[in-house]
């Protein structure tokens, strides 16, 4: 921020969500250097350049606070608990995409991949399908196939709302059964060969 006369001065307050809750006194110049979106909003003469308040609809206070805190401190706070961390990472990734913060988007994608577990696999699967995240989608499908009992015990199956995804998971399960049958058949064949060789030697 030092030495750049084009950066705006002053502070801005964000009015967040339907409840119009406030995040007050955020440096405009810091926002500009941390986010390309805000750099354009406050830095090139748009009407918001001199605004004291900016309305942010369609998000929640906790997630947007975590987003602003990341811009100010470079620290990512995903909250506590497997389900909450996955939900927060999804929302923050959308905010990172919207406000053009590539590093935050990358950190959220990494956190999502690390948070796949029995309780989160199905919600993350649906979110990955909705957002077109092929890598996360494949990871979640594989996790559900490999840990079906744990996912079912966690209530993950009951959370599934998309019929297309349900068909895909069923197809994965059938493929895995066929693969297991093939493995068993191959082992039976090898066992018969060993028995035949033993019989010949005897």
């Amino acid at each position: 921020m030092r030495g750049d006369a084009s950066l705006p001065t002053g502070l801005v307050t964000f009015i967040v969500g339907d409840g119009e809750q406030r995040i007050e006194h955020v440096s405009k110049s810091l926002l500009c250097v941390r986010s390309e979106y805000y750099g354009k909003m406050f830095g090139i003469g748009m009407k918001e350049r001199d605004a004291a308040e900016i309305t942010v609809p369609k998000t929640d206070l906790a997630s947007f606070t975590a987003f602003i805190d990341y811009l100010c401190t470079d620290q990512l706070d995903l909250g506590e608990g497997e389900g909450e961390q996955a939900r927060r990472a999804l929302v923050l990734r959308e905010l990172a995409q919207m406000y053009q913060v590539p590093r935050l988007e990358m950190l959220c994608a990494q956190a999502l991949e690390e948070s796949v577990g029995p309780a989160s696999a199905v919600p993350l699967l649906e979110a990955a399908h909705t957002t077109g995240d092929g890598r996360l989608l494949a990871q979640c499908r594989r996790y559900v196939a490999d840990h079906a009992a744990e996912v079912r015990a966690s209530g993950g199956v009951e959370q599934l709302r998309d019929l297309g995804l349900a068909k895909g998971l069923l197809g994965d399960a059938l493929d895995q059964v066929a693969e297991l049958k093939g493995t068993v058949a191959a082992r039976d064949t090898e066992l018969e060969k060993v028995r035949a060789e033993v019989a010949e030697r005897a």
Side-chain angles (χ1 to χ4, degrees), residues 111-182:
L112 286 169
E113 291 176 6
E114 293 173 353
S115 69
V116 176
S120 63
V122 170
L124 287 177
L125 178 72
E126 291 195 304
H129 177 68
T130 300
T131 60
D133 187 336
R135 180 172 173 174
L136 182 61
L137 180 67
Q139 180 184 354
C140 291
R141 286 180 65 168
R142 188 65 194 175
Y143 185 92
V144 172
D146 291 343
H147 303 84
E150 294 96 321
V151 172
R152 184 174 183 182
S154 74
V157 176
E158 287 72 16
Q159 299 175 50
L160 189 59
R161 299 182 296 272
D162 190 299
L163 181 59
L165 285 177
K167 290 179 178 178
L169 292 177
L170 178 60
D172 291 342
L174 293 174
D175 290 343
Q176 196 168 44
V177 169
E179 183 180 337
L180 289 172
K181 285 183 177 180

Side-chain angles (χ1 to χ4, degrees), residues 32-106:
C32 286
V33 299
R34 294 285 281 159
S35 161
E36 184 177 345
Y37 180 94
Y38 285 125
K40 294 175 181 177
M41 174 183 284
F42 296 127
I44 61 174
M46 293 178 67
K47 64 179 182 179
E48 291 88 354
R49 179 183 175 93
D50 299 318
E53 295 183 349
I54 299 292
T55 300
V56 185
K58 299 179 182 179
T59 192
D60 63 279
L61 180 65
S63 296
F64 197 76
T65 298
F67 173 70
I68 294 298
D69 285 347
Y70 173 79
L71 296 183
C72 293
T73 67
D74 208 42
Q75 299 297 313
L76 178 58
D77 179 13
L78 294 178
E80 299 180 359
E82 178 185 313
E84 171 58 20
Q85 289 185 340
R87 188 200 70 81
R88 178 78 59 83
L90 281 169
V91 175
L92 282 176
R93 187 176 65 170
E94 290 180 3
L95 291 172
Q97 292 170 342
M98 181 184 303
Y99 294 106
Q100 298 171 284
V101 187
R103 184 168 180 270
L104 177 58
E105 184 179 351
M106 178 191 70

